Amino acid sequence: MNKSIKEIADTLDSAALNSQTTQQVSLNQTISLDDAYEIQKMSLENRYARGEKLTGYKLGFTSKAKMEQMGVHDIIWGRLTDGMQYESGQALPSEKFIHPRVEPEIAFLIGKRIDRAIALDEATDFLKGVASALEVIDSRYENFKFSLEDVIADNCSSSAYAFGDWMPPNTEVNHVAIELKINGETKQTGSSSAILDNPLAALVEITRLMHDNGIVLEEGTVILAGAATSAEFIHPGDKIEGHFVGLSTVHLSVE
Ligand code: OOG
Ligand code: MG
């Protein structure tokens, strides 16, 4: 029997809360893209009810490397909360995760309220800062496998993120050379231009998506532009470093 949108939202939220996998929704029933975003929104309501606060939004599959790694070829967006936020240098408690993966990203801090789709040449005017970032994704689905609708419903696998130092809005974020190291070993290298040819284009894209969804980006909102490289699995004991030329290094570890 088909589950309701609310039942699916609750199942995904408890899977995240209890660090346990659940079956892909699409194996049992067909849901539309609109349903998937509605499930995401409802599952986040449970987090807010537990006291978590919305901090911002993220894009997913904005680079070819990510699309190919996960077999999904459309841009998706998800919600970030303060419960997912870690300081650079902090340890991630492994019991909170299922099969986490880390990926290097570029982050934006909104400086001026945005209630419309902005253009690329005005993007920096709306910023308070830019930063390097690490995102930890942790699909709630078995074997990290999902369809486009599945991953959207699961809030785009969002589970943790950390920023490097915030830099002024006019700091160059394009063509930033990136190196992801785990335990001193280089696991991924790339360039921030892998993100839609320019991470600022991801900011433009999110303003368009938010406008279409009637969401206003308030001052202080954080944005993750999407990973520039494929993601790497992380395990207890790992020390993770994201090096970004011209931006600060971000560190995380797993305990
Ligand atoms: C979905 C999340 C994708 C990104 O940066 O592309 C994402 C996933 O890969 O599990 O966060
Ligand atoms: Mg990401």
Side-chain angles (χ1 to χ4, degrees):
M1 213 186 67
N2 279 0
K3 281 186 172 180
S4 70
I5 298 287
K6 170 75 177 138
E7 283 166 331
I8 302 171
D10 288 345
T11 303
L12 283 164
D13 176 63
S14 346
L17 185 62
N18 301 312
S19 317
Q20 269 165 4
T21 54
T22 180
Q23 261 206 342
Q24 273 175 258
V25 181
S26 63
L27 295 181
N28 303 309
Q29 69 190 82
T30 305
I31 54 166
S32 68
L33 277 180
D34 285 348
D35 290 342
Y37 278 110
E38 194 55 31
I39 294 166
Q40 179 191 126
K41 188 175 170 191
M42 279 195 172
S43 78
L44 264 285
E45 295 293 340
N46 292 355
R47 286 183 180 256
Y48 307 148
R50 290 193 295 271
E52 284 181 51
K53 301 266 184 295
L54 181 80
T55 51
Y57 302 90
K58 64 172 259 189
L59 282 182
F61 307 131
T62 46
S63 67
K64 228 167 129 195
K66 279 293 299 184
M67 291 187 206
E68 282 171 4
Q69 182 179 37
M70 306 315 290
V72 176
H73 293 83
D74 281 295
I75 292 178
I76 57 176
W77 65 272
R79 293 169 165 90
L80 302 171
T81 73
D82 59 352
M84 304 173 191
Q85 191 165 333
Y86 290 79
E87 297 299 319
S88 176
Q90 238 184 308
L92 306 166
S94 49
E95 69 275 7
K96 281 203 175 177
F97 300 87
I98 306 166
H99 39 204
R101 285 172 152 167
V102 70
E103 52 191 26
E105 305 226 0
I106 297 289
F108 299 108
L109 181 61
I110 305 294
K112 208 157 72 179
R113 187 175 191 270
I114 308 177
D115 60 1
R116 62 181 174 85
I118 63 168
L120 190 60
D121 62 5
E122 58 176 347
T124 45
D125 302 346
F126 288 90
L127 294 178
K128 199 184 294 189
V130 301
S132 48
L134 290 175
E135 188 189 18
V136 176
I137 48 170
D138 194 24
S139 176
R140 268 54 72 164
Y141 299 118
E142 289 157 14
N143 304 315
F144 228 112
K145 275 185 66 182
F146 43 68
S147 68
L148 180 64
E149 290 81 6
D150 288 332
V151 67
I152 292 166
D154 184 29
N155 195 26
C156 308
S157 313
S158 306
S159 73
Y161 60 92
F163 304 122
D165 297 334
W166 288 103
M167 318 272 261
N170 59 357
T171 307
E172 184 58 73
V173 290
N174 204 7
H175 304 291
V176 169
I178 297 173
E179 187 182 11
L180 178 68
K181 285 185 166 186
I182 302 180
N183 302 324
E185 195 186 319
T186 301
K187 294 287 191 178
Q188 293 287 335
T189 55
S191 164
S192 66
S193 58
I195 306 164
L196 299 178
D197 289 328
N198 180 353
L200 282 171
L203 175 66
V204 167
E205 181 65 15
I206 209 135
T207 65
R208 193 185 62 75
L209 288 166
M210 294 301 104
H211 183 62
D212 289 352
N213 285 280
I215 296 172
V216 172
L217 295 172
E218 300 292 349
E219 183 186 342
T221 301
V222 295
I223 304 289
L224 285 176
T229 70
S230 298
E232 289 290 329
F233 280 113
I234 50 175
H235 306 96
D238 282 351
K239 303 243 177 300
I240 308 147
E241 294 159 55
H243 294 271
F244 298 74
V245 174
L247 300 175
S248 74
T249 302
V250 200
H251 299 263
L252 282 174
S253 61
V254 190
E255 69 178 18

